[in-house]
Amino acid sequence: MMQRTAVYPGSFDPVTRGHLDIIQRASRLFDRVIVAAAENPAKQFTFSVSERLRMLEQSVRGLPGVEVDAMGGLIVDYLKAKNAYILIRGLRAVSDLDYEFQMASINRRLYPKVETVFLMPDERYTYLSSSIVKTVARFGAQVDELVPPPACRALARRFRGGRAENSRARRKR
Ligand code: ADP
């Protein structure tokens, strides 16, 4: 029997509950789901690829058929290497559509066999993005309803530094 493999690429900087919602939906549809965290030297990430992978691995533990990997270069080359042609993307709102449409078109041009499958998250996650999470975490707000516990801990470690420094500076004055 043919095994259907889907690849869900993204930055996952960090993984949010919105990403996890999409991963869960994909795992119900496909036999194998590879969550591929992008390594891109031209892009500035908050977390290194190994940190992003660790957060993802801890967050998807127990989900059937789901694995985590790092991906450099073109998505279509990664798909071909994995013998896969199903590409998962999440669609939050109309605002995602323009960019996602562009990506799906270029990927189809580069690899005609590819099928981009768009999944819609639970409406709770419609306004959730990694960047909004980082913005509020930087100011010390609670993010446990927005990201899974491993990402929550990593954000606390990353941004606690800044706040601790500020309080040390205050004490000195
Ligand atoms: P990229 O840099 O590739 O956009 P992201 O990690 O931001 O990486 O997102 C990866 C994919 O997950 C994209 O298809 C994006 O639209 C989708 N996504 C991001 N946040 C959410 C969310 N809250 N709900 C559903 N899909 C999401």
Side-chain angles (χ1 to χ4, degrees), residues 8-12 18-19 22 43 89-90 92 96 100 121 125 128:
Y8 178 35
S11 305
F12 307 108
H19 294 130
I22 298 295
K43 211 168 161 181
R89 294 290 285 177
R92 284 162 289 191
D96 278 341
E100 293 296 340
Y125 306 126
L128 184 53

